[in-house]
Amino acid sequence: MTAVTERQVLESTLETVAQLEKLAMEVAQRAGFCGPSLDQISLATHEIATNAVVHGNRYRAGKKVFVTISVTDDRFEIRIADEGDGFDPDTLPDPLAPQGLFRDSGRGIYLSRAFMDEYHVQSRDVGGTEVTLTKYLRPR
């Protein structure tokens, strides 16, 4: 397979989340993902893109969401970066703790980690946070 890379700079809106999720699904399908794996990529992309818009950029019009989707011989990778204040994933409350089970939010990172083969968070040198989601391609 020839390496494929898509790059986009998107606005901080919920429409961006839908647009990004659609693009990720199209690229993942072309790479050969289907069924539950495709659903997992979709949900993880949706959750992390929503976090970038809502929690990272706080819907601020001047802030952007930066996306890179790459497919190589062995993996599908999506990087989603925001221009927010950043966060430390180790300080987030446990979404499975009894006090967190009835909250309306707080499970997106947990689900993204569970559904993807790799999940990495890093602070950007220019401010904000970048999350990398990886799903390995399985031999057919």
Side-chain angles (χ1 to χ4, degrees), residues 55-56 58 82-88 123 127-129:
H55 302 295
R58 301 190 188 281
D82 62 54
E83 295 182 295
D85 298 329
F87 78 102
D88 179 355
S123 295
T129 302

Side-chain angles (χ1 to χ4, degrees), residues 40 43-44 47 95 106-116 119:
Q40 292 168 347
L43 186 115
E47 292 297 330
R107 291 173 203 79
I109 291 173
Y110 172 80
L111 291 171
S112 297
R113 282 180 169 157
F115 287 157
M116 300 302 283
Y119 172 94

